[in-house]
């Protein structure tokens, strides 16, 4: 396990130029027959999925396709059937160890509105046992472009600022696996570029991710695969290195407007 509190830039310095494709190895996350039922109906049909270190996959599909449910199941936030193995072991053997290596951004930002941005991150840094939590919180704010708002209460933040802070919280403890549900939602163009640079650095540092998004054209330059879900089932998987972004289109999905 890596030392806590080590930042992404510290591991890999310099900008990332171009796209770095990762061949799937399945050595980090292996999902087999993952299914979710609720209210007597199937939300997610049995799904298989492998993710190697440094591999990024975009999950796309219409509303109700099961995208968020898939992430929640992988984050162990909803009951599920099937097998989830992390680093070759069932997550049931070490659930706390598995969760400690997850960085999760869902629709609920999991932030305390009465606390400042810096206080929120300091709280989570201590919760995760991050070394030098004060420095880690400051670094995380800088990475998402919120340093000047460090002492502002989160309750005063815009939607885009809250989303940036939620990303900082999710990546604060240097997770090895990111589960991201529309992480660019509400973020302006300048903030989006900062976040995309952060994602590229994370990928270069061998952090893996599942990224739910309607912005597939934006995600294309980073992800290795696009997985299309419809009615709770995988319909198509596309390797971005083997397809042309200009001619490729989802079979049923239009890109979300800004």
């Amino acid at each position: 396990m890596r030392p806590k509190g080590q930042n992404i830039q510290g591991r890999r310095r310099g900008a990332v130029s171009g796209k770095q494709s990762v061949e799937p190895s399945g050595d980090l996350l292996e999902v087999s027959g993952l299914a979710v039922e609720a209210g007597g109906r199937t939300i997610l049909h049995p799904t298989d999925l492998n993710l190697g270190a440094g591999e990024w996959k975009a999950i796309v599909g219409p509303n109700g396709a099961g995208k968020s449910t898939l992430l929640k199941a992988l984050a162990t936030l909803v009951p599920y059937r099937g097998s989830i193995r992390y680093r070759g072991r069932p997550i049931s053997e070490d659930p706390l160890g598995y969760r400690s290596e997850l960085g999760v951004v869902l629709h609920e930002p999991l932030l305390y509105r009465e606390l400042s941005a810096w206080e929120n991150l300091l709280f989570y840094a201590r919760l995760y046992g991050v070394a030098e939590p004060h420095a880690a919180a400051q670094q995380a704010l800088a990475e998402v472009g919120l340093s000047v708002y460090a002492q502002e209460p989160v309750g005063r933040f815009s939607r885009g600022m809250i989303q940036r802070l939620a990303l900082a919280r999710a990546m604060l403890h240097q997770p090895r696996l990111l589960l991201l549900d529309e992480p660019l939602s509400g973020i302006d163009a300048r903030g989006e570029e900062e976040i995309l640079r952060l994602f590229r650095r994370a990928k270069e540092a061998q952090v893996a991710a599942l990224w739910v998004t309607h912005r597939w054209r934006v995600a294309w330059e980073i992800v290795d695969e696009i997985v299309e879900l419809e009615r709770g089932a995988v319909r198509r998987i596309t390797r971005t290195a083997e397809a042309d972004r200009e001619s490729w289109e989802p079979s049923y999905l239009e890109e979300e407007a800004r």
Side-chain angles (χ1 to χ4, degrees):
M1 182 165 307
R2 70 199 179 288
K4 295 286 186 180
Q6 185 181 24
N7 63 63
I8 290 173
Q9 289 101 322
R11 288 198 299 265
R12 292 292 184 94
R13 297 185 181 275
V16 181
S17 60
K19 178 178 173 182
Q20 185 180 26
S21 180
V22 175
E23 290 301 319
S25 61
D27 59 354
L28 187 72
L29 183 72
E30 299 171 87
V31 177
S32 177
L34 187 70
V36 176
E37 296 178 356
R41 69 187 185 95
T42 300
I43 307 299
L44 182 69
H45 292 278
T47 298
D48 298 339
L49 183 149
N50 285 4
L51 197 66
E55 186 178 12
W56 283 53
K57 297 188 180 186
I59 312 296
V60 305
N63 293 336
K67 306 183 300 295
S68 296
T69 298
L70 171 61
L71 293 196
K72 288 178 179 178
L74 291 173
T76 69
L77 296 176
V78 296
Y80 63 86
R81 292 184 289 107
S83 169
I84 303 175
R85 299 177 68 88
Y86 182 72
R87 299 188 186 274
R89 299 172 56 193
I91 63 171
S92 58
E93 293 184 3
D94 184 15
L96 292 180
Y98 169 66
R99 293 182 190 125
S100 73
E101 298 213 350
L102 290 181
V104 181
V105 174
L106 301 177
H107 290 296
E108 172 56 50
L110 303 177
L111 298 168
Y112 295 94
R113 296 177 62 84
E114 68 277 10
L115 299 181
S116 69
W118 185 82
E119 288 169 334
N120 265 278
L121 295 189
L122 183 61
F123 169 79
Y124 279 103
R126 289 170 171 165
L127 184 67
Y128 277 103
V130 174
E132 301 181 3
H134 291 77
Q138 291 172 353
Q139 178 66 34
L141 286 169
E143 287 179 340
V144 297
L146 290 178
S147 293
V148 297
Y149 303 102
Q151 301 305 322
E152 288 289 324
V154 171
R156 299 179 186 173
F157 278 16
S158 67
R159 180 187 178 195
M161 292 168 68
I162 288 174
Q163 193 74 344
R164 288 202 220 181
L165 188 59
L167 278 165
R169 172 197 52 74
M171 302 182 75
L172 179 67
H173 60 297
Q174 301 304 320
R176 305 312 302 168
L177 174 60
L178 295 172
L179 303 176
L180 306 171
D181 197 345
E182 298 290 357
L184 300 180
S185 179
I187 296 178
D188 60 22
R190 180 177 178 181
E192 183 175 287
E193 285 303 313
E194 292 175 334
I195 297 306
L196 293 176
R197 284 195 294 270
L198 178 62
F199 286 175
R200 291 186 181 98
R201 291 197 299 269
K203 180 178 173 66
E204 188 185 37
Q206 292 298 289
V207 177
L210 293 176
W211 176 359
V212 168
T213 183
H214 289 295
R215 306 282 305 286
W216 62 267
R217 290 185 177 88
V218 174
W220 188 285
E221 294 304 316
I222 295 176
V223 302
D224 305 286
E225 282 187 354
I226 294 182
V227 180
E228 296 181 69
L229 289 184
E230 186 176 15
R231 297 181 181 179
V234 175
R235 297 304 184 193
R236 182 171 62 160
I237 298 175
T238 302
R239 294 288 293 175
T240 55
E242 300 169 0
D244 177 18
R245 184 180 67 171
E246 300 307 315
S247 59
W248 186 91
E249 290 185 358
S251 56
Y252 45 80
L253 178 67
E254 292 184 358
E255 185 174 0
E256 176 189 45
R258 279 194 184 276

